[in-house]
Amino acid sequence: MERIKTLSGESDEKILGKIIVSVVMPVYNAQEYLAASLDCLLNQTLKDIEVICVNDGSSDNSLKILEEYRRHDPRVVILSQSNKGAGAARNLGFSQGSGRYVYFFDADDLCAPDLLEKCVNAAEAQEADIVAFNFSRFYPNGNEEQRMGIHDDWLPKGCKVFSWRDCPELIMSVVNPTPWNKLYRADFIQKNQLRFEEISTTNDITFCAVSMAVASRVTFLKDSLFRYRVGHSQTITSRKKKNWANIITAVQSAEKQIKRLPYFEEIVDSLCRFIIENCIFGINYFDGDYKSVSFGEYYNRVRSIFAGEMFSNVSIDTVKNELLVQKFRAIRKNSYEDYLKLAGHKIVISLTSYPKRIKDVAGVLETIFRQSRKADEIVLWLAEEQFPKKENDLPDNLRKLVDQRKMTVRWIAEDLRPHKKYFWALPSYPDDIVITIDDDLIYPSDMIDSLFVSYLIYPRAVSAMRAHLIVINEALEIEPYNNWILETDHCRYRPCMQLLSTNGAGTLFPPGIMRKNELYNSDAIKDTCLNADDLWLKAMQLCENVPVVVAHKYKSLQYVPDSQEEALAHDNMTMCQNDVQLRKITDWVDRKLGDGYFVRKLTLPPQMEDSVQLLGVSAICKMFRAERCREKNERRVLNNRLQRALTAEKELKDVCRRLRKENVALVSNYQKTQNELQKIKKSKRYKLAEYLARLVWFVRRHFKQSKGKLL
């Protein structure tokens, strides 16, 4: 291996035999994985290392394993302490290290064989205090997913070395706040007196975030060099429920250290984001125990922190994360008692389908299973007349999900087309949160979370991932549907009566918000808008004074490949069926409640905080339309590329599937041929033929030899 020069310029000969990297590894009851972790470290391509293993009061065979490795490799150093936690173990290990660099590793994880060599080379080349890199998470079932260790897209373009000056608002969050995806220069840690918090959990986030804030030079590698094991019972993540207060201790320690820096005012937004992220992580992670006394205490402490003066100017502009700001707002708004009332309801996902699309439903639901906030129940409403054999008409992958109890199929007698997704769900789950989705979309992983947080802020509004702004002209008339501001997010996070939620893109209905009997008038639906559930629900929302909130910055819909050959949107928009159906609905509502009722309700401002009223000012509408047109063209291009990529991927998968089948068939035929050949070889006829062939060969050879002698 190529020797590495020191920062002081020492030659290779002078540093020969010196320790370049001290690896510090806390060990606590890790006997199951310890050997694999040690093998990863001791087989590194960089050999000039020491592996300092701090036995943190293990009660299993971990110490014996360490001693066995030390007998075979003198680079293993063993230190012992009573059980004080990983933070104290790392501090002890670092204090005894002699390497120019230090790397903190966990006793149940794995890494690439060239991790240390690559990181040291990068540190030397860039004279860096810290070298960060990407990583992956691997699960007991064998699945593995790649993760970003650094958000290099937050840095100036082309930036290879950075400090707080390059991204002051994000410096404490730009790199994942874990110690195992970074190599540190040892004298940098000593100079800045950096230490891990000596608490049982969450002991690393302060060290990692503060080190980023004080580092003069940070560089990064895009390689994925570390593999984080998920599911080990002794990992920090699995033990956090017992130690909620440690999160508060960790963020307050970080705040105290950052406030001492002379440039604190320049990175205060980054500190705010760091505190908000970690405090909210605690609330999200412990959500299942929200009724416990300890969770109530934690929630109130977080709410008290968020009420501090430092957080008075928190906004999307300062924190740079819309969903995080919405969660911050939800906590500041809701007392613990209010949070209990709102968060105590089940989340029910409701959708419908029909025979031509039913094959896609399992794929759609996979994106629901991967949501960052999980649903409590998933219900698929199907019309009996479309599936006369019921379960036997469903594809195998969907029946499998039913058998695994991941979802429920509810059979209904009446086919109300797209209305089926809400028509029976809302009355069947009156005390639960109902989120409607479609059978042809791939949903972003934060959809449920975004809708839920919006609901916490506006519990008496419908929250939607996608909405259109109904345009009303100066004469107080509704403009044609195609003149509306489609897919608008200009007034997101603000309730508005003029917003029309598109319910298939993900729409949340709070418990009991739509109770009027007229909503469930199937005859009226058939007479007015059988193919336009969004318009019917909008009319019912107006009748109940329920506004709509856009809960997420709009992103182009991602459709399941080949699912749009038959879609209601084509007829509703291109053939102006939306206008026809809307006219029927407004006439029906006006007959019931008085002339002009529909438009009057649209123009009334919602009676709630932060609401917005957008009447038909022509200049504003034109501006919106021009901007939306530009955005829509850009999105259309991107969406077309995405659809082509998805289609190509599907075609490639089909080809691979066909080739696999052909390969299986070829292998099977080959095996059959081999079996038949073996049978033939074992037969008497084959043996006789083989004997005769040998006899003929022997006679010919003997004849040639005899003939040669005669000559």
Side-chain angles (χ1 to χ4, degrees):
M1 186 195 78
E2 181 184 351
R3 297 297 298 175
I4 302 161
K5 292 183 179 180
T6 65
L7 293 178
S8 60
E10 289 182 287
S11 66
D12 289 351
E13 290 76 12
K14 283 187 178 181
I15 66 170
L16 193 63
K18 286 189 176 181
I19 300 299
I20 296 176
V21 178
S22 295
V23 180
V24 176
M25 182 169 70
V27 179
Y28 176 72
N29 289 351
Q31 64 178 17
E32 186 176 354
Y33 308 109
L34 183 55
S37 297
L38 285 168
D39 288 340
C40 279
L41 296 173
L42 297 174
N43 291 318
Q44 287 287 302
T45 54
L46 178 64
K47 302 301 181 185
D48 302 321
I49 68 173
E50 60 180 351
V51 181
I52 302 174
C53 304
V54 183
N55 177 37
D56 188 35
S58 297
S59 58
D60 64 357
N61 291 321
S62 294
L63 183 57
K64 290 182 180 179
I65 295 171
L66 293 176
E67 290 171 343
E68 181 67 23
Y69 270 82
R70 183 173 60 180
R71 277 196 290 272
H72 292 88
D73 196 324
R75 295 178 298 170
V76 176
V77 178
I78 302 175
L79 304 175
S80 289
Q81 65 176 23
S82 58
N83 183 227
K84 297 179 181 178
R90 291 185 184 117
N91 289 334
L92 175 61
F94 175 72
S95 70
Q96 300 299 309
S98 57
R100 283 182 292 133
Y101 297 94
V102 61
Y103 176 55
F104 298 100
F105 194 75
D106 285 347
D108 57 347
D109 296 323
L110 304 173
C111 63
D114 56 354
L115 180 152
L116 296 178
E117 181 179 8
K118 283 186 173 181
C119 288
V120 171
N121 283 335
E124 295 291 327
Q126 301 294 345
E127 299 185 354
D129 299 323
I130 302 173
V131 179
F133 46 87
N134 293 323
F135 64 98
S136 65
R137 292 163 60 95
F138 68 102
Y139 297 82
N141 62 7
N143 291 341
E144 187 161 357
E145 57 186 28
Q146 295 299 318
R147 290 297 183 94
M148 289 177 60
I150 178 169
H151 297 279
D152 57 319
D153 54 322
W154 295 359
L155 301 172
K157 191 173 182 180
C159 181
K160 293 183 179 179
V161 180
F162 66 95
S163 70
W164 68 268
R165 293 178 179 84
D166 298 293
C167 53
E169 296 171 334
L170 296 166
I171 188 61
M172 296 178 71
S173 301
V174 69
V175 176
N176 190 289
T178 52
W180 36 254
N181 75 322
K182 305 173 193 70
L183 180 79
Y184 294 90
R185 192 159 49 83
D187 61 359
F188 159 74
I189 295 176
Q190 293 168 340
K191 176 184 175 182
N192 291 281
Q193 299 179 348
L194 298 172
R195 288 178 60 81
F196 288 89
E197 297 297 311
E198 298 197 358
I199 50 181
S200 56
T201 60
T202 324
N203 48 64
D204 51 1
I205 62 171
T206 300
F207 177 93
C208 296
V210 174
S211 67
M212 290 298 300
V214 300
S216 298
R217 295 179 65 82
V218 181
T219 191
F220 58 92
L221 301 170
K222 293 190 176 182
D223 308 58
S224 181
L225 300 175
F226 180 85
R227 300 179 67 212
Y228 177 81
R229 187 186 302 274
V230 180
H232 178 202
S233 62
Q234 296 298 333
T235 58
I236 289 173
T237 303
S238 65
R239 294 158 62 197
K240 272 186 179 162
K241 283 191 177 183
K242 304 173 185 176
N243 305 281
W244 298 359
N246 285 346
I247 297 175
I248 304 292
T249 301
V251 298
Q252 287 180 335
S253 175
E255 179 182 359
K256 185 177 179 180
Q257 294 178 59
I258 295 298
K259 283 185 173 179
R260 294 196 197 111
L261 299 176
Y263 47 88
F264 159 66
E265 293 294 340
E266 297 182 63
I267 63 171
V268 64
D269 291 340
S270 180
L271 176 61
C272 287
R273 174 173 173 143
F274 169 78
I275 294 173
I276 293 170
E277 277 179 326
N278 285 282
C279 287
I280 287 177
F281 171 81
I283 288 176
N284 287 345
Y285 188 81
F286 303 122
D287 221 355
D289 298 320
Y290 61 86
K291 291 183 180 179
S292 67
V293 174
S294 53
F295 178 78
E297 292 173 351
Y298 176 78
Y299 184 94
N300 286 329
R301 288 187 68 184
V302 169
R303 195 160 179 256
S304 176
I305 291 172
F306 288 177
E309 184 180 353
M310 189 171 71
F311 298 90
S312 59
N313 295 320
V314 165
S315 67
I316 294 171
D317 291 333
T318 61
V319 174
K320 311 296 184 187
N321 184 312
E322 293 193 5
L323 182 56
L324 192 63
V325 171
Q326 291 304 98
K327 291 180 178 181
F328 169 82
R329 289 181 61 200
I331 292 169
R332 283 189 53 151
K333 178 183 177 183
N334 292 301
S335 67
Y336 174 59
E337 291 71 25
D338 291 337
Y339 180 85
L340 278 183
K341 292 176 184 176
L342 295 173
H345 300 280
K346 281 198 319 181
I347 297 176
V348 179
I349 299 292
S350 180
L351 72 160
T352 186
S353 190
Y354 59 101
K356 286 189 177 180
R357 287 254 187 91
I358 195 68
K359 67 182 187 304
D360 298 323
V361 171
V364 171
L365 292 182
E366 284 300 323
T367 68
I368 300 301
F369 299 142
R370 291 196 292 266
Q371 293 288 306
S372 56
R373 181 178 292 274
K374 306 302 180 186
D376 297 292
E377 190 172 345
I378 299 174
V379 184
L380 173 65
W381 304 89
L382 297 177
E384 293 176 350
E385 64 185 75
Q386 293 181 316
F387 300 89
K389 296 180 181 178
K390 293 190 174 181
E391 284 79 6
N392 291 331
D393 282 336
L394 302 182
D396 292 341
N397 54 8
L398 202 55
R399 286 205 302 268
K400 184 178 179 181
L401 293 178
V402 174
D403 293 340
Q404 294 173 341
R405 298 187 177 181
K406 290 185 175 182
M407 60 165 295
T408 304
V409 176
R410 300 280 291 272
W411 298 98
I412 46 183
E414 192 173 14
D415 179 21
L416 290 181
R417 305 204 72 183
H419 296 265
K420 297 196 298 288
K421 69 168 71 77
Y422 73 86
F423 192 87
W424 286 274
L426 293 178
S428 298
Y429 298 92
D431 299 320
D432 298 320
I433 297 167
V434 175
I435 297 177
T436 56
I437 64 171
D438 263 348
D439 59 354
D440 59 348
L441 289 175
I442 297 171
Y443 291 93
S445 60
D446 61 351
M447 178 198 70
I448 295 179
D449 204 18
S450 298
L451 293 172
F452 181 78
V453 173
S454 176
Y455 152 74
L456 291 179
I457 301 173
Y458 302 110
R460 299 304 301 168
V462 167
S463 295
M465 293 292 285
R466 177 175 178 262
H468 306 324
L469 180 67
I470 301 173
V471 175
I472 303 170
N473 60 31
E474 287 84 348
L476 295 183
E477 297 171 339
I478 298 175
E479 287 277 312
Y481 187 93
N482 288 339
N483 288 345
W484 295 1
I485 312 302
L486 304 181
E487 300 166 347
T488 184
D489 56 12
H490 289 281
C491 53
R492 64 183 179 276
Y493 313 131
R494 300 184 68 184
C496 180
M497 297 300 288
Q498 285 176 244
L499 287 174
L500 170 82
S501 60
T502 61
N503 302 308
T507 298
L508 182 149
F509 297 89
I513 200 167
M514 308 284 287
R515 290 188 181 274
K516 284 203 172 181
N517 292 332
E518 291 299 343
L519 173 63
Y520 309 107
N521 188 332
S522 58
D523 291 334
I525 289 172
K526 292 174 183 176
D527 290 340
T528 58
C529 57
L530 185 58
N531 293 330
D533 57 312
D534 299 342
L535 295 176
W536 178 259
L537 280 169
K538 183 62 199 177
M540 297 303 105
Q541 290 159 15
L542 292 175
C543 293
E544 302 227 29
N545 297 312
V546 175
V548 172
V549 181
V550 177
H552 197 281
K553 187 173 183 179
Y554 179 70
K555 296 179 181 178
S556 293
L557 298 179
Q558 188 176 341
Y559 291 101
V560 173
D562 302 326
S563 65
Q564 297 305 292
E565 296 174 2
E566 181 179 324
L568 291 176
H570 299 328
D571 292 341
N572 285 343
M573 293 190 69
T574 59
M575 300 178 66
C576 299
Q577 287 302 303
N578 277 326
D579 293 318
V580 173
Q581 294 174 99
L582 179 60
R583 196 174 304 114
K584 290 180 179 180
I585 293 172
T586 54
D587 290 345
W588 184 86
V589 171
D590 288 352
R591 284 198 305 272
K592 288 276 185 180
L593 301 170
D595 289 343
Y597 181 88
F598 194 98
V599 174
R600 282 201 309 275
K601 281 288 188 176
L602 278 176
T603 58
L604 289 175
Q607 300 301 309
M608 62 177 61
E609 182 185 359
D610 296 332
S611 62
V612 62
Q613 185 181 20
L614 297 171
L615 296 180
V617 180
S618 298
I620 294 177
C621 293
K622 288 178 181 177
M623 178 190 71
F624 274 152
R625 277 199 290 272
E627 187 170 343
R628 292 303 295 157
C629 185
R630 287 194 298 272
E631 292 178 358
K632 194 169 183 179
N633 288 336
E634 292 173 1
R635 284 203 302 270
R636 187 180 293 113
V637 171
L638 292 173
N639 202 40
N640 288 339
R641 289 178 184 172
L642 179 62
Q643 291 302 319
R644 285 197 297 270
L646 289 171
T647 302
E649 182 185 25
K650 184 175 182 295
E651 291 173 353
L652 184 60
K653 286 181 178 178
D654 290 340
V655 170
C656 292
R657 195 178 296 112
R658 189 179 70 251
L659 290 174
R660 278 196 295 270
K661 287 182 179 179
E662 291 176 358
N663 184 55
V664 169
L666 287 172
V667 170
S668 177
N669 290 336
Y670 174 78
Q671 194 63 45
K672 287 179 182 178
T673 304
Q674 289 293 317
N675 292 338
E676 290 174 2
L677 183 60
Q678 291 300 321
K679 288 180 181 178
I680 291 172
K681 287 183 176 181
K682 291 178 181 179
S683 66
K684 292 181 179 179
R685 184 177 296 179
Y686 178 85
K687 290 180 179 179
L688 178 61
E690 187 178 35
Y691 172 77
L692 291 174
R694 288 180 179 176
L695 182 62
V696 169
W697 175 83
F698 177 78
V699 170
R700 285 179 176 175
R701 183 183 176 194
H702 183 71
F703 177 76
K704 286 181 180 179
Q705 289 176 348
S706 300
K707 187 176 180 181
K709 289 179 180 179
L710 290 173
L711 293 173

